[in-house]
Amino acid sequence: MKKPADRIRLAILTGLALAGSVLSGVAPSPAASVETMPPATMALVLHLEGGPIPEMPADAAELRQAAHGVLAALTGAAGTLVSDRSLTEDLVRRHRIRTGGTLTPEFLAGVREELGAPTLLSLSLSVDGGQLVASFHAVDAATGRVMAVGVAEAALDGSDWHRILIDVLRRAFPNALTPLDPAPALLILPGRGVGLDPLATRAATNCVLDAALKDGRWMIVDPALVNAAAAAAGRDLGRLDADGRSALIREFGTPWAIVPEVVSFGFSAAPRSRQLPDGEATTNRRGAAEELVLTLQLVDLRTGIVVGTRSFRASGERGSGWFGLTEARTLLGQLRESATELWPDFHRILEDATS
């Protein structure tokens, strides 16, 4: 039986073997010199979210060490330098960046000035209902602009959890960072959830972000930073008054905001209770909803008026496959499908309003 340290080394070596061209989208040429192709630098922040993980036969320290090893392989394969881990974790502690949904201008300034990194790569790992879920945000530390989003999941089916971790991180890891070309600013506010826990609601926001980034026509500030700006102004994004809306316009220079809302109409399996890192009680239910509706609202922050809205309904029915086999759906799959299907139609509203 392998010792934990041996298993972690195996995970890292396997990650090195599997890691391909990432972030830059093209593997560095062997002939490229440091002078002609200086390595990019980023700060890597890892959050383990959720409560105790009975489905994962590893403690938090072992999971964190294994994840950092695989991430070192993935970033190294792209020729990317990662800032010192101890300095990064000290910065996280001082600024109380507790979850992937927490981000402040002061922390981003520390990423630039103390760590010397122009890019923040934030990873959230959680286990819900037997599913290991990885969510990445790559953020420009100077502007708070989201450069890439990646979300992936896999079932913890009793096989080697290291290999499952490697697979999930490889699939979620951003393949390329969006070039910071000039683009109209657009805010996507943190999503609102009904019948869902906070992690699932944030997953819905990530799926909308991913669809908007793939569109490639907007400069989108990280929703966590928008939330921090509202809090600094003493406002709640869920109940924005005129002063709160004006504060967002001044801070980010755009009157347009998208508000995602996702509603679940029940789950086939009863949820299990658990605790978030800050002690907030929530539920553990990552299986597919019996029915789920994602709605996108376009809000004019100057007036508070919703100028357009579109919705998409995702069924929880099992999908059909080859030879009459059916495939179980997951909540993340429903959210991803909803955002992908909804965005093109919603974007027509956005174009009409901003033209």
Side-chain angles (χ1 to χ4, degrees), residues 8-351:
I8 292 170
R9 280 193 290 272
L10 174 62
I12 295 171
L13 291 173
T14 307
L16 283 167
L18 293 176
S21 172
V22 292
L23 286 181
S24 63
V26 179
S29 168
S33 66
V34 175
E35 291 76 18
T36 59
M37 187 179 292
T41 305
M42 64 172 52
L44 176 62
V45 175
L46 169 61
H47 299 286
L48 301 183
E49 301 188 355
I53 306 173
E55 301 95 336
M56 177 74 77
D59 59 24
E62 191 176 2
L63 178 58
R64 186 178 293 274
Q65 184 177 352
H68 271 287
V70 177
L71 291 171
L74 290 169
T75 53
T80 303
L81 295 179
V82 177
S83 58
D84 182 86
R85 178 178 171 183
S86 62
L87 294 178
T88 303
E89 291 179 348
D90 178 65
L91 185 67
V92 168
R93 283 191 295 270
R94 285 190 282 117
H95 288 271
R96 300 181 180 179
I97 306 299
R98 296 179 178 178
T99 72
T102 308
L103 195 60
T104 65
E106 294 77 16
F107 175 71
L108 288 180
V111 168
R112 298 193 313 271
E113 298 165 8
E114 298 182 38
L115 304 180
T119 305
L120 168 68
L121 185 64
S122 176
L123 165 65
S124 297
L125 274 177
S126 64
V127 176
D128 281 335
Q131 297 287 119
L132 177 64
V133 184
S135 174
F136 281 102
H137 275 209
V139 181
D140 176 56
T143 63
R145 180 176 180 175
V146 182
M147 305 171 72
V149 173
V151 184
E153 65 179 349
L156 292 168
D157 54 8
S159 59
D160 184 358
W161 68 267
H162 290 94
R163 293 185 179 276
I164 297 173
L165 175 67
I166 292 168
D167 174 61
V168 168
L169 292 180
R170 285 182 67 244
R171 288 190 288 111
F173 199 77
N175 290 323
L177 300 184
T178 302
L180 294 180
D181 297 327
L186 178 67
L187 301 184
I188 295 180
L189 305 191
R192 303 169 182 172
V194 178
L196 295 170
D197 63 44
L199 290 180
T201 303
R202 198 190 311 159
T205 306
N206 287 335
C207 290
V208 174
L209 267 174
D210 188 37
L213 286 173
K214 288 175 179 175
D215 187 277
R217 287 177 274 187
W218 303 93
M219 191 284 285
I220 303 172
V221 176
D222 193 288
L225 198 61
V226 180
N227 193 45
R235 306 298 173 183
D236 182 351
L237 284 180
R239 294 182 295 276
L240 272 181
D241 58 11
D243 289 341
R245 297 194 306 272
S246 296
L248 293 184
I249 294 174
R250 289 193 304 270
E251 182 71 21
F252 301 109
T254 177
W256 301 109
I258 296 175
V259 180
E261 183 176 84
V262 59
V263 179
S264 165
F265 294 93
F267 291 78
S268 56
R272 298 193 303 272
S273 63
R274 60 181 175 86
Q275 295 292 120
L276 289 177
D278 59 3
E280 180 183 353
T282 183
T283 55
N284 183 1
R285 46 187 189 186
R286 184 62 64 173
E290 293 179 357
E291 183 178 343
L292 180 143
V293 176
L294 176 64
T295 300
L296 298 182
Q297 299 176 339
L298 180 61
V299 178
D300 186 338
L301 295 175
R302 294 165 296 192
T303 62
I305 295 175
V306 176
V307 299
T309 182
R310 287 290 185 273
S311 297
F312 182 85
R313 171 189 173 276
S315 170
E317 296 178 359
R318 299 172 70 93
S320 300
W322 290 97
F323 309 111
L325 299 176
T326 59
E327 180 180 355
R329 305 197 70 186
T330 66
L331 180 58
L332 181 58
Q334 288 176 298
L335 294 171
R336 195 193 306 274
E337 175 197 6
S338 298
T340 301
E341 294 290 335
L342 192 55
W343 183 259
D345 190 28
F346 179 79
H347 192 266
R348 287 190 282 270
I349 296 176
L350 186 57
E351 284 187 316

